[in-house]
Amino acid sequence: QVHLVESGGGLVQAGGSLRLSCAASGSIALINVMGWYRQAPGNERELVAAKTSGGSTNYADSVKGRFTISRDNAKNTVYLQMNSLKPEDTAVYYCNTKMVRGGDYWGQGTQVTVSS
């Protein structure tokens, strides 16, 4: 079992920045990938960024060059630094972990709203 607690969402003007945090607890030694997904109203949940325990990263094309994912293994926390935010980035952002032995866990979600 892994428990994820997200923080850092909010309302920001276009062009602004936010940093999301996700702290993991529980069976953290079995975590392989930590990442962020988002879901806007009427849309499917989509991958934003992910980082493996080995350090490899993957970003959605729409956020490349603007968002940066990082992991602090000592704090069992993953961050998403979001710069140059656009109204189309508005969504509920979810933290996700994928386990070494399969399966994954989700956070409760945090709202990010970007005003034009």
Side-chain angles (χ1 to χ4, degrees), residues 13-32:
Q13 289 188 333
S17 298
L18 283 174
R19 189 176 82 153
L20 306 182
S21 300
C22 173
S25 60
S27 300
I28 56 177
L30 298 179
I31 294 174
N32 181 18

Side-chain angles (χ1 to χ4, degrees), residues 1-110:
Q1 289 279 348
V2 173
H3 184 56
L4 302 172
V5 178
E6 299 144 341
S7 61
L11 173 64
V12 65
Q13 289 188 333
S17 298
L18 283 174
R19 189 176 82 153
L20 306 182
S21 300
C22 173
S25 60
S27 300
I28 56 177
L30 298 179
I31 294 174
N32 181 18
V33 184
M34 296 189 76
W36 293 91
Y37 288 70
R38 67 186 181 188
Q39 187 168 20
N43 290 355
E44 294 186 354
R45 192 172 296 189
E46 63 175 0
L47 173 69
V48 177
K51 193 172 183 77
T52 70
S53 56
S56 298
T57 57
N58 185 29
Y59 292 93
D61 288 343
S62 59
V63 306
K64 284 180 180 177
R66 300 187 299 122
F67 291 11
T68 302
I69 188 170
S70 59
R71 282 173 72 164
D72 185 335
N73 291 326
K75 295 182 178 179
N76 305 315
T77 300
V78 63
Y79 304 95
L80 185 68
Q81 178 66 43
M82 304 185 293
N83 298 328
S84 302
L85 282 161
K86 305 175 181 180
E88 51 263 44
D89 294 318
T90 296
V92 178
Y93 283 69
Y94 297 91
C95 181
N96 171 266
T97 61
K98 298 192 184 303
M99 311 305 287
V100 171
R101 298 175 182 173
D104 55 0
Y105 293 90
W106 294 92
Q108 78 283 3
T110 185

